[in-house]
Amino acid sequence: MFTERLTQLRLSRSLTHQDMADKLGMTRQGYGHYESGKRTVDSETLAALADILEVDADYLLGRTSQPKSLQEETGIAFYGGPDQYSQDEIEVMEAALKAYREQKKKLLR
């Protein structure tokens, strides 16, 4: 399931093997071995693949059928629940999270 999802996600984002290899800092052939199943992905590479493809690692591994967790879709997980925060506090947290994610995307490019 991993190899199929990896290939499907890469193609859906119009990325080549070389694009993925460049983002991961490896050779095109090395990346191709992940998609063909000739090479097992380590945890560090799995995390990088999930970030590049903007999905949960559990989705890549076939442990869930949803590409992103509910927490990621809503943007924030609240310690103790959202009722403990004012709307202003929530807006500040969402703005900080948005800025962090934008910075992370820039670094991955």
Side-chain angles (χ1 to χ4, degrees):
M1 181 161 298
F2 172 78
T3 59
E4 292 87 6
R5 286 191 173 174
L6 183 60
T7 302
Q8 179 267 328
L9 287 165
R10 175 182 60 79
L11 292 173
S12 72
R13 285 158 178 75
S14 300
L15 296 169
T16 65
H17 278 206
Q18 189 63 55
D19 294 332
M20 293 297 290
D22 291 344
K23 290 176 184 293
L24 293 167
M26 62 176 48
T27 66
R28 182 199 54 76
Q29 183 180 20
Y31 172 77
H33 288 310
Y34 289 131
E35 280 194 19
S36 68
K38 293 179 182 176
R39 185 174 181 185
T40 303
V41 68
D42 59 67
S43 59
E44 186 177 312
T45 304
L46 177 62
L49 287 167
D51 287 343
I52 292 165
L53 298 170
E54 298 178 354
V55 296
D56 283 343
D58 281 344
Y59 179 75
L60 281 172
L61 294 172
R63 295 176 51 159
T64 181
S65 60
Q66 295 181 335
K68 292 206 175 241
S69 69
L70 182 59
Q71 175 181 329
E72 287 186 39
E73 289 175 14
T74 59
I76 286 185
F78 295 95
Y79 179 77
D83 297 337
Q84 299 195 12
Y85 300 95
S86 70
Q87 186 59 38
D88 288 341
E89 290 172 318
I90 292 172
E91 288 174 10
V92 168
M93 287 186 276
E94 287 175 339
L97 182 61
K98 181 180 178 184
Y100 167 78
R101 286 183 173 160
E102 288 173 2
Q103 182 64 28
K104 187 175 175 182
K105 282 183 182 179
K106 286 180 187 177
L107 292 173
L108 289 173
R109 290 183 197 151

